[in-house]
Amino acid sequence: MSEGWTHICDLHDVMPGAGVCALVEGHQVAVFRMADAVFALDNFDPASQANVLSRGLVGDLKGERVVASPLFKHHYSLTTGRCPEDPEKSVHVHRARVLDGGIWVKVGGETVRTTCPYCGVGCGVLARNIKGSVEIAGDPLHPANFGALCSKGYALGETVGLDDRLLHPQINGKKATWDEALDHVSDEFTRIIAEHGPESVAFYVSGQLLTEDYYVANKLMKGYVGTANIDTNSRLCMASTVAGQRRAFGEDAVPTCYEDLQLADLIILVGSNTAWCHPVLFRRISSEKERRPDLKIVVIDPRRTPTCELADLHLPVRAGTDVWLFNGLLAYLQRQGAVDEAFVANHTVGASTALEAAEASAVDEATVAKICGVDVARLTEFYGLFAAHERVVTAFSQGVNQSSAGTDKVNSIINCHLLTGRIGRPGMGPFSLTGQPNAMGGREVGGMANMLAAHMELENPDHRAIVQEFWDSPRIASAAGLKAVDLFEAMGAGRIKAVWIIGTNPVVSMPEADRVRAALERCELVVVSDCVAKNDTTAYAHVLLPAATWGEKDGTVTNSERRISRQRSFLDLPGEARPDWWILCEVAKRMGFGSAFDFRSPADIFDEHARLSGTGNEGERAFNISGLAGLSPSGYQQLEPVQWPISKLHMRGSERLFEDGRFMHPDGRARFIETPPRGPAHAAGDEFPFVLNTGRIRDQWHTMTRTGRSPRLAENLPEPFVDMHPQDALLTAARDGELARVTTRWGSMVVRVRSSGEIARGTVFVPMHWNDCNASQARVGALVNAVVDGISGEPEFKHTPARVEPFPVEWYGFLLTRRSSSSPEVTWWTRINAANCTRYEIAGRELPKSWTVWGRNVLGATDSGADYIEYEDASARSYRAAYIVDGRLEACVYIANRADLPDRDLLSKLFRIEKVEAAHRMALLTTGAVVEGEEPGPLVCSCFAVGRNTIRRAIEEHKLTAVSQVGACLRAGTNCGSCLPEIKALLGGVPKSIPVSTSTALPLIT
Ligand code: SF4
Ligand code: FES
């Protein structure tokens, strides 16, 4: 057993349902057994103030495993320590395990219930800080995940170190005090506003801010500076849904909840690689599918993503044709008589005009199938499934939103639900799966350039009056501000002179990202608040402000199903880092707005936000959390996850919206929206024949500032790549595993070619995560056209015409080293955090005059007496060298004229060895097979470090046919399950290729 664990007794020494008391490191610990599971809590009962809990009875209380106080009527959760009867009371929970028939306990560290900082599923996390090492588990009581986490969530404990943290304010690269930095920011903003007016300044914030941070930023900008120039990176992922929902429902309101995915009989996943981007939700769907094989799942995506593993039907539509597809469905539903006439008549407006527009663009199934590039039989099967199932959920994500027709795509989906009345009831409705952890919280406080706080509208004078009066603010923005793309364009044109960027990295994530650099260069003042000392954007900051990050800050977030959860701190603030709300308030006070920003805690801010949501709201606005106003500090601290609206009448929150058929337009009716289809703004053609699609991969998050720290997460897909169909790769002479240049009219990059078999002909996929801090030429944002949806302002990340051509190099190689330098001097490189060292994949166009000189330099073995061993075969252009210091491997490098090189994972294990032996030295220079064991291959299961080759071998040797058998054999897939789709694919569960035509035939916007 590892360090810190104490053996208590044998399992059979404790009767099931009973407890024992043990003294562990001076703590009285109560250890309980329920069947074969064991739990450990403090023995001290805060209700009776006595060490008696081990004598309490254990059992089930409303689905929660609890122990009863033997003296009072209180219970304590065995997993969280929470007291259901009294939120003020709780006990510490300790780790307990059964191993070799014995019960082991590890004490220390309070378990804190918090929320994952990554995707919009919003999973509850139990975090425990034990002497600086953070242990993570899923929160079994959180209704978003019921204890499950994905690979990213489980690795959170590996990402909380202080390496690369920004710990002190800086002005022009020099360390400054907080007073100096805050004075400088407020003075400069005040000066620029005085000289050029409020429209000359802007905030650019993030869907990863907490609601309280967002609230203060929005209040300062719209109510006190007096401009709506505050936009957010949520513009890049959710804005089309916001616009679509506002048009259809009268408010940006998601009608559905996660439970609907379990109640539906048909789930349609559109433009959503749920398996990778919302993995815990995907597990929930797949468990339901296992339980109810009749549950039908349709995936609509140009790529055959891992999500398709679950699909009964995959429609690989041509990129950008979703509106034709759903217009065709709308017309089909009408033809088939699947219309809910009563619902349409009583609760909607505009059905006939929307139907006319749909019919005009989607004459019949054959026409639609041709435009969408799918088989007509499959298309008709999909339409038939929709018509036949009452309980249907259409879940959609970035594949729908990130389009120049994104808002129409959203409305074309909603139209189909309105026509069939499938909304507002269990198991049905359109369901936007949010990308970021708090994209929805940001929308609630109005943190976008075209919204006001609490879902009020900037254009509505009554709403402006409500907000201004509530804030008692000197002014209020009266027109929409600049949306993200326009904002940076205005900076480039010199109209925006000062910008404050908070918690986001636009030099990587914006389209036409090189123009963002130029825009920042032109600004008089660039302030960046971030937790990292260096990213692609901090390089352009005049002022750097150290912000608190996950684990250190406190507040709330709202997930995809409108559920507000607490993010709680469990780590001390490092250095001089401060929460974003505090930084914003301090600047606001210095700008002369003191009393309005005199918040003492996030709880104060949340209270104001809750009160505002209920102000002037007699049911006119769905967003209402006034029921949470007036929480005591401990009430806020103990706040349980709850779905808005939460009013005094509905204190337990609301699972679904629009249950009474009443929508948020003034007449209470939903709107059908005409959606005449149009193709992407730029079509592929002779010069740029491919459609470039960008997106996320399973184990990374955004620009990798957090997930990139975890060696485990780096292993599944360690390098930036371009995924292309094998035939396209053949035609362009770009070979799998070698380098290729991807070029668009806006920029270019060099990445490894990958032919995963997931991609259709004519399309290429590049992940969005890599940047100049971890790769030489891999910022895909620089290639993406900055075309936006005319209504939502969301960029077209999924469709940029591109060219792919080989990037010939003289040599390929990799370097493993204990030292980490930012950029080796080679033609191409990628840096990867490996388990025992830092790994660089490298390639060069120049042959060095002497490999020895080059190698010594690269490995840092410049001292002539260094223990440096090398092997060179000049004719084969093969070079290997290792640098050994005091018997330990310090660094090694492998160079060859081909891209396939020895297994890096096996070699990296040598860095664990305290003294390399003669055999290791020899093997380092010969075959590379220096460590016992077979090459595991690229990592599939991050939780148990199981590679593709290992899984393949096990399948073959043991004739495995099911994922459960692979799990039993290798444990792969038995923890978070994020790897299950890939294991299933290795078992042969998915077809090898998909037929689809290219997108060159699509009409252009004129
Ligand atoms: S699915 Fe994964 S990334 Fe998303 S919130 Fe849950 S644990 Fe975090
Ligand atoms: S990646 Fe978590 S179980 Fe495989």
Side-chain angles (χ1 to χ4, degrees):
M1 204 76 188
S2 63
E3 203 188 332
W5 288 87
T6 303
H7 181 252
I8 304 297
C9 58
D10 286 346
L11 182 65
H12 59 70
D13 291 339
V14 185
M15 297 285 290
V20 292
C21 177
L23 196 64
V24 186
E25 294 182 17
H27 293 269
Q28 275 203 31
V29 177
V31 181
F32 300 99
R33 176 177 173 193
M34 282 184 87
D36 283 341
V38 289
F39 305 88
L41 310 174
D42 276 354
N43 195 33
F44 185 76
D45 171 17
S48 62
Q49 296 282 306
N51 281 309
V52 292
L53 276 189
S54 64
R55 288 192 266 135
L57 289 175
V58 291
D60 192 284
L61 183 71
K62 294 182 189 158
E64 194 168 346
R65 289 182 285 193
V66 294
V67 56
S69 161
L71 302 177
F72 277 76
K73 285 184 183 168
H74 289 74
H75 297 83
Y76 300 96
S77 163
L78 295 177
T79 45
T80 65
R82 192 182 71 107
C83 173
E85 291 85 11
D86 183 351
E88 304 271 334
K89 293 194 169 51
S90 63
V91 292
H92 283 172
V93 178
H94 305 286
R95 299 285 301 273
R97 280 181 188 165
V98 178
L99 192 76
D100 297 333
I103 300 178
W104 296 74
V105 166
K106 191 174 185 179
V107 294
E110 186 188 354
T111 298
V112 172
R113 295 179 72 198
T114 184
T115 311
C116 176
Y118 298 126
C119 83
V121 179
C123 295
V125 170
L126 300 179
R128 179 201 294 250
N129 175 12
I130 303 175
K131 296 175 189 154
S133 148
V134 174
E135 291 187 350
I136 296 292
D139 181 351
L141 299 180
H142 198 292
N145 56 317
F146 298 107
L149 292 177
C150 75
S151 51
K152 293 185 287 288
Y154 271 118
L156 274 166
E158 296 168 35
T159 67
V160 294
L162 293 185
D163 302 346
D164 309 324
R165 278 296 299 271
L166 179 65
L167 295 173
H168 306 282
Q170 290 177 20
I171 301 173
N172 296 321
K174 293 208 175 67
K175 193 171 160 185
T177 64
W178 266 115
D179 274 338
E180 288 165 346
L182 295 167
D183 286 347
H184 184 83
V185 173
S186 59
D187 289 351
E188 282 298 281
F189 265 94
T190 305
R191 175 186 67 78
I192 291 168
I193 292 166
E195 283 174 17
H196 305 283
E199 302 301 327
S200 65
V201 300
F203 287 176
Y204 185 63
V205 299
S206 165
Q208 286 171 89
L209 291 184
L210 303 183
T211 300
E212 292 76 1
D213 303 322
Y214 243 130
Y215 179 87
V216 175
N218 188 56
K219 180 179 181 182
L220 173 57
M221 211 50 171
K222 295 202 178 118
Y224 287 80
V225 174
T227 171
N229 282 344
I230 169 169
D231 215 37
T232 159
N233 60 12
S234 298
R235 179 72 59 196
L236 312 182
C237 66
M238 296 311 305
S240 296
T241 289
V242 174
Q245 292 185 154
R246 289 175 83 185
R247 288 203 299 185
F249 308 142
E251 190 171 329
D252 171 26
V254 174
T256 30
C257 62
Y258 294 160
E259 191 192 32
D260 289 327
L261 295 166
Q262 288 170 286
L263 298 175
D265 295 321
L266 169 65
I267 297 173
I268 304 160
L269 299 168
V270 195
S272 166
N273 184 4
T274 323
W276 279 16
C277 300
H278 300 93
V280 166
L281 223 45
F282 183 76
R283 284 297 304 276
R284 202 156 161 175
I285 298 170
S286 54
S287 303
E288 191 58 28
K289 173 86 175 156
E290 263 169 43
R291 203 178 68 78
R292 276 194 300 138
D294 284 351
L295 164 63
K296 295 280 179 228
I297 295 172
V298 177
V299 174
I300 297 168
D301 199 311
R303 290 197 296 148
R304 185 181 58 74
T305 64
T307 303
C308 297
E309 172 267 318
L310 202 60
D312 296 286
L313 177 67
H314 171 212
L315 284 184
V317 290
R318 180 183 282 137
T321 57
D322 313 62
V323 175
W324 275 279
L325 183 78
F326 283 95
N327 277 0
L329 175 60
L330 195 76
Y332 176 90
L333 292 168
Q334 156 91 342
R335 286 198 295 275
Q336 296 297 313
V339 180
D340 183 336
E341 303 285 358
F343 181 86
V344 171
N346 296 327
H347 303 293
T348 70
V349 171
S352 55
T353 45
L355 272 163
E356 270 169 37
E359 278 159 2
S361 64
V363 181
D364 53 33
E365 284 83 81
T367 311
V368 176
K370 196 166 172 212
I371 293 169
C372 296
V374 292
D375 180 67
V376 66
R378 285 173 157 238
L379 178 104
T380 313
E381 187 186 344
F382 163 54
Y383 286 1
L385 283 170
F386 197 108
H389 290 89
E390 176 74 357
R391 291 182 166 219
V392 49
V393 170
T394 309
F396 53 94
S397 205
Q398 302 344 0
V400 167
N401 291 318
Q402 292 179 330
S403 160
S404 58
T407 307
D408 279 353
K409 287 184 181 181
V410 171
N411 284 113
S412 70
I413 291 170
I414 294 175
N415 282 347
C416 296
H417 281 268
L418 291 177
L419 194 74
T420 49
R422 293 172 188 164
I423 192 165
R425 287 182 285 146
M428 60 185 77
F431 198 169
S432 149
L433 303 182
T434 318
Q436 298 195 77
N438 199 27
M440 198 182 291
R443 286 141 66 182
E444 289 158 12
V445 301
M448 296 180 101
N450 53 333
M451 295 166 78
L452 202 49
H455 279 200
M456 283 182 262
E457 291 170 359
L458 267 170
E459 311 77 30
N460 183 327
D462 295 338
H463 286 179
R464 291 202 300 271
I466 291 171
V467 177
Q468 188 174 4
E469 190 182 328
F470 181 86
W471 281 344
D472 192 19
S473 67
R475 54 191 76 85
I476 191 93
S478 56
L482 296 167
K483 298 178 185 129
V485 168
D486 296 338
L487 189 76
F488 284 96
E489 206 168 287
M491 256 177 252
R495 298 197 302 279
I496 298 281
K497 297 180 188 300
V499 63
W500 189 348
I501 297 167
I502 308 180
T504 183
N505 194 354
V507 171
V508 181
S509 52
M510 286 288 294
E512 292 185 36
D514 285 344
R515 282 177 63 193
V516 172
R517 276 183 173 159
L520 292 176
E521 266 168 359
R522 193 144 183 216
C523 267
E524 283 180 40
L525 175 68
V526 177
V527 181
V528 174
S529 299
D530 212 305
C531 59
V532 295
K534 186 170 181 285
N535 65 28
D536 294 44
T537 300
T538 57
Y540 298 87
H542 302 106
V543 182
L544 278 174
L545 302 175
T549 186
W550 184 80
E552 300 157 6
K553 53 190 200 173
D554 244 317
T556 54
V557 289
T558 310
N559 73 0
S560 295
E561 60 167 355
R562 291 173 278 104
R563 191 178 295 280
I564 297 172
S565 299
R566 288 279 281 106
Q567 252 193 36
R568 298 182 175 93
S569 65
F570 54 89
L571 295 169
D572 294 335
L573 289 173
E576 294 182 77
R578 294 288 178 272
D580 288 299
W581 67 265
W582 180 89
I583 303 172
L584 283 153
C585 288
E586 288 303 308
V587 169
K589 287 176 199 166
R590 283 165 168 80
M591 289 174 79
F593 311 130
S595 58
F597 292 87
D598 206 10
F599 299 110
R600 287 157 304 155
S601 68
D604 279 359
I605 302 168
F606 186 81
D607 181 59
E608 183 174 305
H609 169 47
R611 283 189 290 113
L612 177 56
S613 74
T615 304
N617 188 359
E618 298 301 324
E620 295 88 346
R621 307 193 304 272
F623 179 72
N624 185 346
I625 57 166
S626 57
L628 299 177
L631 286 179
S632 66
S634 72
Y636 178 75
Q637 181 59 14
Q638 304 286 340
L639 183 64
E640 288 293 313
V642 58
Q643 285 169 284
W644 63 259
I646 310 141
S647 61
K648 297 285 180 214
L649 293 177
H650 297 98
M651 284 302 287
R652 298 174 69 87
S654 318
E655 290 177 321
R656 291 174 193 86
L657 297 181
F658 316 134
E659 287 174 306
D660 56 0
R662 197 187 159 277
F663 293 86
M664 307 317 296
H665 284 293
D667 60 5
R669 288 167 178 263
R671 300 289 187 269
F672 281 89
I673 304 292
E674 289 173 61
T675 53
R678 59 188 187 277
H682 296 108
D686 290 345
E687 199 185 349
F688 298 104
F690 297 108
V691 171
L692 168 66
N693 179 1
T694 67
R696 294 182 174 138
I697 60 172
R698 190 189 81 187
D699 286 353
Q700 295 298 345
W701 179 255
H702 282 198
T703 58
M704 298 168 68
T705 44
R706 180 177 288 281
T707 48
R709 291 160 173 258
S710 162
R712 261 197 300 164
L713 295 181
E715 285 188 46
N716 181 239
L717 288 169
E719 293 176 275
F721 59 85
V722 55
D723 195 358
M724 61 195 304
H725 193 281
Q727 274 172 287
D728 286 338
L730 202 68
L731 286 173
T732 53
R735 294 170 56 167
D736 198 3
E738 296 190 355
L739 294 178
R741 184 183 287 285
V742 184
T743 308
T744 70
R745 266 175 49 202
W746 296 272
S748 81
M749 67 195 308
V750 177
V751 282
R752 191 90 68 177
V753 176
R754 177 172 188 257
S755 292
S756 67
E758 291 173 4
I759 199 107
R761 293 217 48 202
T763 308
V764 297
F765 174 81
V766 175
M768 60 184 270
H769 310 289
W770 277 270
N771 51 73
D772 286 356
C773 291
N774 49 30
S776 53
Q777 301 176 55
R779 235 169 7 108
V780 72
L783 279 69
V784 174
N785 45 203
V787 176
V788 297
D789 179 283
I791 302 163
S792 70
E794 180 152 352
E796 187 146 73
F797 280 102
K798 300 290 183 192
H799 200 290
T800 305
R803 180 171 72 226
V804 180
E805 55 213 339
F807 185 80
V809 290
E810 290 291 338
W811 54 267
Y812 285 92
F814 67 85
L815 161 69
L816 304 177
T817 173
R818 291 188 193 276
R819 294 182 311 164
S820 168
S821 71
S822 52
S823 49
E825 286 180 14
V826 291
T827 309
W828 176 91
W829 60 271
T830 300
R831 191 179 65 240
I832 301 144
N833 273 334
N836 312 297
C837 56
T838 303
R839 165 179 156 197
Y840 292 88
E841 291 295 321
I842 50 180
R845 285 192 146 171
E846 309 265 315
L847 280 172
K849 284 202 186 81
S850 155
W851 278 112
T852 300
V853 174
W854 180 89
R856 279 180 168 272
N857 229 0
V858 163
L859 300 194
T862 43
D863 178 359
S864 61
D867 187 356
Y868 184 79
I869 55 175
E870 63 182 334
Y871 162 86
E872 181 174 0
D873 179 348
S875 58
R877 205 174 305 149
S878 170
Y879 181 76
R880 292 161 189 181
Y883 175 33
I884 294 155
V885 177
D886 298 332
R888 271 196 343 158
L889 181 59
E890 180 69 17
C892 61
V893 67
Y894 281 69
I895 303 295
N897 60 355
R898 337 188 292 265
D900 53 327
L901 291 158
D903 188 284
R904 286 76 159 162
D905 187 49
L906 279 178
L907 282 164
S908 74
K909 290 183 178 149
L910 277 179
F911 285 82
R912 274 199 236 141
I913 296 173
E914 277 308 307
K915 196 159 182 63
V916 291
E917 306 292 344
H920 293 129
R921 287 171 174 260
M922 181 60 76
L924 268 167
L925 303 184
T926 51
T927 62
V930 289
V931 182
E932 280 181 24
E934 289 170 301
E935 290 190 7
L939 195 80
V940 172
C941 179
S942 304
C943 292
F944 297 112
V946 187
R948 191 183 301 155
N949 298 348
T950 309
I951 297 173
R952 280 202 176 121
R953 277 194 295 267
I955 291 171
E956 227 174 270
E957 278 168 28
H958 303 289
K959 310 266 176 293
L960 309 180
T961 53
V963 285
S964 56
Q965 293 172 328
V966 175
C969 194
L970 301 168
R971 298 180 75 200
T974 58
N975 191 32
C976 72
S978 300
C979 56
L980 286 174
E982 280 142 295
I983 297 175
K984 196 154 184 184
L986 289 171
L987 284 161
V990 209
K992 290 254 179 303
S993 63
I994 45 169
V996 71
S997 43
T998 69
S999 62
T1000 48
L1002 278 178
L1004 289 166
I1005 294 173
T1006 51

